[in-house]
């Protein structure tokens, strides 16, 4: 899991997922 | 000879259709890429800042309560919010606290008829099918949705845009080289009833025009009808950045001053240009539409990526 | 080809034209695109005392009704978590396939340097609440094995990070 520092009450988390033969960095922004 | 060119055009179109049938949407995706997703409980103004920060204009939404994909956030949503504010200027607090969940209510309140259900397609369906779905829903982008093998929950694999598909074709389909018929023979694009504005036109009038005619750009012309600029739907993001709605009183010329400096400019072409030349331009630059002008630069019409895709698939 | 960029549409030229007509417009600034690049870190960092960090995590997991295995002696700094993930699925799976709803995570504390620790979160598969094995449809070939939705994992991590942020 990758995270960024919380800014404006918003948290961003990410992880790199393999989808079939390609790599997707899924980034989710969520409010605190 | 013109006859040979017409024959080549048909051969080229057939070959591109076969190409689109033979590839899947998954093939268009780079080996490594990112997908930025917003939880639907995020504030609209936060989501706007994150889009601008990442230089993107759209993002898929995720409803963590139902653990399902909840459609796409696009510039249409921000246009709805602007329209809602201009109809209810006393509702600033409501708008300031608006979350992405609330956008559907705003859409209903302003009465826009965007398709409530976002179309999507499985990544391994033929690319041709994704194009057909986009054209049918007049969406300019289509989410690729698969399901998790264990939990059967949806996965937002990516979002394909018309631009990415046409760029993929221009880079991988050598038959674009024989699409040499001039535009004036193809009956393609919009050449009549073009809604244009002047630099002094209030930006709200231009936004209303986009809503009424369901268009995503309004050309700006001078008194001699020469094209001088274009106001695009994505420009509204810079208009309300930071949740400020004070700039809605600007003229469209003033509003265009807020565009970021790395805007690549408006692309023009003439009726003598071919789809090969347009395809080459798409391959090299981020073109979202071309404005058709005459030799003096007077506005004649507009050619959108949807027009090009429709022509390739159905002409 | 006559395809070209319309010079008057380039921001710098448009600005020069507008400001020449109305000098006061120089105050309207373009959106700056040179953003501070988002800085990403693995997991979350902490400078607290390691046992305090572990205590915070266990407390947050308890507040969030997650379960964990009793840590073994040699793995004191790893927490094996099970977390019931059952959002109120509006459209329960049409074919009524049994949807496993116990997500497994591993939370591990690493020391980066003296007084600088990192809490790492790792997805560790799904269980069925009744403990029955998640039926794996056949032997997943290389392609099939990775249609994995990261969102439930990312969502639960945001819940845990928020709980830790709020508590701290």
């Amino acid at each position: 899991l990758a995270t960024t520092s919380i800014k404006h009450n918003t948290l961003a988390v990410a992880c790199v997922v393999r989808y079939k033969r390609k790599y997707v960095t899924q980034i989710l922004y969520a409010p605190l | 000879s013109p006859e040979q060119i017409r024959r080549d055009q048909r051969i080229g179109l057939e070959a591109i259709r076969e190409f689109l049938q033979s590839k899947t949407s998954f093939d268009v995706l780079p080996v490594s890429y990112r997908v930025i997703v917003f939880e639907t409980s995020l504030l609209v103004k936060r989501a706007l800042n994150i889009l601008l920060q990442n230089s993107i204009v759209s993002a898929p939404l995720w409803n963590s309560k139902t653990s399902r994909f909840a459609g796409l956030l696009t510039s249409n949503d921000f246009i709805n919010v602007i329209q809602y504010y201009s109809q209810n200027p006393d509702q600033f607090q409501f708008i300031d606290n608006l979350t992405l969940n609330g956008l559907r209510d705003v859409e209903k309140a302003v009465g826009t008829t965007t398709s409530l259900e976002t179309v999507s397609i499985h990544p391994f369906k033929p690319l041709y099918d994704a194009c057909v779905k986009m054209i049918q829903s007049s969406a300019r982008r289509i989410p690729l949705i698969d399901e998790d093998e264990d939990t059967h929950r949806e996965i937002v694999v990516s979002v394909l845009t018309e631009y990415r598909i046409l760029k993929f074709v221009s880079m991988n389909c050598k038959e674009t080289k024989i699409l040499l018929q001039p535009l004036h023979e193809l009956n393609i694009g919009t050449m009549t009833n073009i809604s244009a504005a002047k630099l002094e036109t209030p930006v709200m009038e231009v936004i209303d025009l986009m809503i009424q005619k369901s268009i995503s750009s309004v050309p700006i012309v001078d008194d001699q009808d020469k094209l001088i600029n274009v106001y695009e739907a994505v420009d509204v993001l810079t208009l309300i950045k930071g949740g400020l709605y004070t700039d809605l009183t600007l003229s469209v010329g003033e509003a265009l001053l807020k565009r970021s400096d790395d805007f690549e400019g408006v692309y023009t072409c003439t009726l003598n240009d071919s789809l090969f030349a347009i395809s080459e331009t798409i391959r090299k630059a981020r073109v979202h539409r071309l404005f058709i002008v005459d030799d003096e630069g007077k506005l004649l019409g507009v050619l959108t990526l949807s027009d090009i895709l429709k022509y390739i698939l159905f002409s | 080809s006559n395809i070209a960029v319309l010079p008057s549409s380039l921001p710098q030229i448009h600005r020069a034209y507008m400001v020449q007509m109305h000098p006061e417009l120089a105050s309207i600034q373009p959106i700056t695109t040179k953003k501070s690049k988002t800085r990403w870190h693995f997991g979350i960092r902490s400078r607290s005392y390691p046992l305090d960090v572990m205590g915070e995590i266990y407390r947050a997991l308890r507040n969030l009704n997650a379960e964990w295995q009793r840590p073994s002696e040699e793995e004191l700094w790893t927490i094996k978590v099970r977390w019931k993930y059952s959002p109120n699925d509006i459209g329960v799976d049409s074919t009524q396939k049994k949807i496993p709803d116990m997500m497994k995570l591993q939370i591990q504390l690493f020391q980066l340097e003296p007084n600088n620790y990192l809490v790492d979160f790792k997805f560790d598969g799904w269980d069925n609440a009744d403990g029955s094995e998640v039926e794996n449809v056949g032997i997943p070939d290389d392609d099939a094995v990775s249609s994995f939705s990261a969102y439930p994992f990312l969502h639960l991590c945001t819940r845990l990070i928020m709980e830790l942020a709020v508590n701290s």
Side-chain angles (χ1 to χ4, degrees):
Chain A
L1 179 87
T3 65
T4 59
S5 27
I6 294 171
K7 260 186 244 161
H8 305 303
N9 242 14
T10 304
L11 177 61
V13 291
C15 60
V16 180
V17 179
R18 207 182 88 191
Y19 179 73
K20 313 297 175 190
R21 301 177 304 283
K22 300 188 177 178
Y23 293 86
V24 195
T25 300
Q26 301 276 15
I27 300 173
L28 178 66
Y29 282 90
L32 258 189
Chain B
S1 72
E3 185 42 42
Q4 177 62 40
I5 285 180
R6 272 194 289 281
R7 208 172 13 256
D8 285 352
Q9 186 93 354
R10 272 196 299 280
I11 294 167
L13 286 175
E14 273 312 311
I16 293 171
R17 287 170 195 161
E18 276 164 37
F19 173 79
L20 290 171
Q21 289 285 10
S22 70
K23 296 295 177 193
T24 67
S25 298
F26 177 76
D27 293 323
V28 180
L29 304 179
V31 170
S32 168
Y33 64 95
R34 69 179 187 177
V35 178
I36 290 180
V37 177
F38 294 148
E39 259 204 27
T40 49
S41 50
L42 200 59
L43 284 175
V44 169
K45 65 180 178 182
R46 289 277 163 264
L48 172 60
N49 285 351
I50 296 164
L51 290 176
L52 289 171
Q53 199 176 19
N54 289 280
S55 301
I56 56 178
V57 296
S58 174
L61 303 181
W62 179 261
N63 183 330
S64 57
K65 296 203 173 9
T66 61
S67 190
R68 293 177 72 88
F69 165 60
L72 286 181
L73 174 67
T74 68
S75 48
N76 282 347
D77 294 303
F78 295 106
I79 287 177
N80 288 340
V81 171
I82 287 173
Q83 204 191 10
Y84 181 85
Y85 178 73
S86 70
Q87 293 168 358
N88 310 276
D90 55 319
Q91 292 294 313
F92 178 73
Q93 206 48 52
F94 163 76
I95 287 180
D96 201 44
N97 299 325
L98 187 63
T99 63
L100 297 170
N101 281 310
L103 286 173
R104 291 295 154 262
D105 301 336
V106 168
E107 192 177 71
K108 286 187 197 110
V110 298
T112 45
T113 55
T114 49
S115 58
L116 285 180
E117 189 48 43
T118 303
V119 291
S120 64
I121 196 163
H122 191 282
F124 283 84
K125 286 271 192 277
L127 187 50
Y128 188 92
D129 297 0
C131 296
V132 169
K133 272 201 161 189
M134 283 164 89
I135 289 170
Q136 283 169 344
S137 64
S138 71
R140 296 177 187 91
R141 56 192 72 244
I142 185 165
L144 306 182
I145 306 286
D146 191 353
E147 71 167 32
D148 179 294
E149 188 165 66
D150 288 341
T151 64
H152 312 298
R153 294 194 192 288
E154 288 174 324
I155 309 171
V156 180
V157 174
S158 186
V159 180
L160 269 198
T161 61
E162 289 170 335
Y163 172 74
R164 290 276 299 283
I165 292 171
L166 289 171
K167 178 165 180 163
F168 182 68
V169 169
S170 67
M171 291 171 73
N172 295 285
C173 219
K174 59 187 180 311
E175 286 81 3
T176 50
K177 284 184 178 46
I178 60 175
L179 299 180
L180 298 175
Q181 238 180 308
L183 287 182
H184 63 77
E185 289 182 14
L186 303 183
N187 187 23
I188 184 174
T190 306
M191 304 298 287
T192 55
N193 295 333
I194 297 282
S195 309
K198 299 281 193 305
L199 281 175
E200 304 72 34
T201 308
V203 70
M204 273 315 294
E205 261 183 52
V206 172
I207 291 174
D208 286 342
L209 212 47
M210 283 199 264
I211 294 168
Q212 285 152 30
K213 306 200 79 174
S214 290
I215 51 180
S216 58
S217 68
V218 173
I220 313 290
V221 297
D222 65 8
D223 297 339
Q224 289 75 40
D225 263 350
K226 277 184 68 175
L227 182 68
I228 47 177
N229 213 318
V230 174
Y231 193 77
E232 302 178 340
V234 294
D235 287 315
V236 304
L237 274 69
T238 55
L239 197 60
I240 55 172
K241 177 180 179 345
L244 301 174
Y245 289 74
T246 47
D247 287 346
L248 296 184
T249 55
L250 293 178
S251 70
V252 67
E254 293 162 348
L256 285 171
L257 290 170
K258 300 192 75 171
R259 224 176 218 164
S260 70
D261 280 339
D262 58 12
F263 175 71
E264 295 182 23
V266 171
Y267 278 82
T268 60
C269 67
T270 69
L271 285 169
N272 297 318
D273 282 309
S274 67
L275 279 182
F276 165 55
I278 289 170
S279 173
E280 283 300 283
T281 309
I282 289 173
R283 188 165 61 84
K284 296 173 203 153
R286 292 189 65 81
V287 181
H288 286 99
R289 57 189 68 79
L290 292 108
F291 284 87
I292 304 167
V293 295
D294 66 10
D295 300 343
E296 289 102 50
K298 283 195 178 183
L299 178 65
L300 296 179
V302 58
L303 180 68
T304 67
L305 299 186
S306 305
D307 295 328
I308 298 171
L309 215 44
K310 229 176 280 179
Y311 173 77
I312 289 175
L313 265 66
F314 304 130
S315 71
Chain C
S1 144
N2 310 297
I3 295 174
V5 171
L6 186 67
S8 55
S9 70
L10 291 168
Q12 296 76 6
I13 297 177
H14 175 67
R15 172 173 296 280
Y17 171 77
M18 290 295 288
V19 171
Q20 173 212 348
M21 306 273 282
H22 314 283
E24 73 281 7
L25 291 178
S27 62
I28 301 185
Q29 289 307 313
I31 285 283
T32 50
T33 45
K34 304 288 163 258
K35 303 274 175 309
S36 57
K37 284 309 280 169
T38 311
R39 284 180 47 76
W40 292 95
H41 325 279
F42 273 115
I44 52 179
R45 294 161 300 163
S46 167
R47 293 192 176 281
S48 308
Y49 187 56
L51 276 178
D52 291 348
V53 178
M54 297 306 279
E56 287 290 319
I57 295 171
Y58 279 114
R59 197 170 299 116
L61 287 170
R62 186 191 57 199
N63 294 351
L64 293 165
N65 299 318
E67 312 166 351
W68 57 85
Q69 265 179 12
R70 178 182 302 281
S72 59
E73 275 309 307
E74 56 279 355
E75 279 193 312
L76 272 182
W77 307 106
T78 302
I79 308 175
K80 289 192 167 65
V81 180
R82 262 187 13 149
W83 197 334
K84 189 159 179 52
Y85 181 81
S86 50
N88 47 339
D89 255 344
I90 302 174
V92 175
D93 185 80
S94 52
T95 58
Q96 295 308 323
K97 290 176 201 160
K98 189 175 181 50
I99 294 187
D101 53 4
M102 292 301 273
M103 182 190 294
K104 295 189 287 180
L105 301 176
Q106 283 204 21
I107 300 172
Q108 197 160 356
L109 187 69
F110 291 92
Q111 178 173 18
L112 299 175
E113 60 204 10
N115 292 334
N116 191 357
Y117 298 91
L118 177 146
V119 182
D120 180 48
F121 301 76
K122 242 194 308 292
F123 175 72
D124 195 18
W126 291 91
D127 267 355
N128 288 318
D130 54 16
S132 60
E133 266 312 293
V134 174
E135 79 277 1
N136 256 330
V137 279
I139 307 295
D141 62 73
D142 198 36
D143 273 355
V145 74
S146 56
S147 65
F148 154 74
S149 175
Y151 299 106
F153 167 64
L154 293 176
H155 172 63
L156 288 188
C157 288
T158 54
R159 296 280 310 281
L160 186 45
I161 292 170
M162 289 176 203
E163 186 71 21
L164 289 166
V166 163
N167 293 352
S168 70

